[in-house]
Amino acid sequence: MGKLDGKVAIITGAAQGMGEAHVRRFLSEGAKVVLTDVNEEGGSSLAAELGENALFIKHDVTSLDEWKSVVEQAEAAFGPVTILVNNAGILGPIANVVDIDPEAYLAVINVNQHSQVWGMKAVIPSMVKAGGGNIVNISSTAGMLVVAGAPSIAYVGSKYASRGMTKEVAVSYGPQNIRVNSVHPGFIKTPMMAAATDADGGGIADAVPLRRMAEPDEVSNLVLFLASDDSSYISGMEHVIDGALTALGAS
């Protein structure tokens, strides 16, 4: 018996990286999964590989109208949505508040922050119909502390916002049996991390007490726990997965 038998999940940013890992893990635990991404080729190919319990929808997460359509299509294919993993995100420019370009700032905020608002807004009525649900908002260690020397006002702001929104929605919709948690990964071996550094992360791992970057599957283990009944009394909390990086504090 799978931990997610009978569950219907939407996972954004699912064509590669952590999103792909979450999709594969959820399917292995019995969920039916709607995977969304702007990468139509990658998402379609992944869904075709994974079979009838996986449905890909091309999706601009910054559009509330598209969010409503995704939920409608998920319900039509599999039934009411009981899990949402707000995984889509972008890094954006490394820039402080004086130097940041307004359009670049808003691009990051729209993808990392506003998309999570629209996702929760669109999916909660479906969860209420189902009698409850679980939302996992993927934030970052950048939503827990600020590291000196690496200014990223847009990214840090969006990730702190995710943390706060998680708590507000958890409190507001707890009475409807909807749990909401945030996950704060550190350095994970993903295409986004590779693009920001190099193929193997360079010397980044040396900054981590465990002396390595994490595999996406390691984050999926935590996301699965939060999406399943194993975490039935956990809501409104931050869950850091970073090899003790944030235990060092800001440097």
Side-chain angles (χ1 to χ4, degrees), residues 127-193:
M127 291 181 171
V128 171
K129 286 191 294 186
N134 292 308
I135 298 172
V136 182
N137 291 322
I138 306 300
S139 180
S140 168
T141 51
M144 300 299 295
L145 56 77
V146 177
V147 178
S152 184
I153 185 67
Y155 188 77
V156 169
S158 69
K159 294 305 183 179
Y160 266 88
S162 175
R163 179 182 173 188
M165 295 186 305
T166 292
K167 291 180 176 295
E168 196 285 328
V169 178
V171 170
S172 293
Y173 288 92
Q176 282 72 49
N177 194 33
I178 294 172
R179 295 190 293 110
V180 193
N181 287 281
S182 60
V183 169
H184 299 258
F187 297 136
I188 317 298
K189 293 181 182 178
T190 65
M192 187 170 79
M193 179 61 71

Side-chain angles (χ1 to χ4, degrees), residues 75-91:
E75 290 184 326
F78 299 132
V81 179
T82 49
I83 300 170
L84 169 64
V85 181
N86 270 320
N87 173 75
I90 60 175
L91 182 60

Side-chain angles (χ1 to χ4, degrees), residues 59 63-73 118 121-122:
H59 179 201
S63 167
L64 179 56
D65 286 341
E66 289 199 19
W67 265 110
K68 292 177 179 178
S69 177
V70 166
V71 173
E72 289 170 358
Q73 291 179 70
W118 305 146
K121 177 179 176 65

Side-chain angles (χ1 to χ4, degrees), residues 23-34:
V23 170
R24 292 182 182 277
R25 190 63 191 276
F26 277 34
L27 286 167
S28 74
E29 293 291 344
K32 293 178 169 58
V33 180
V34 175

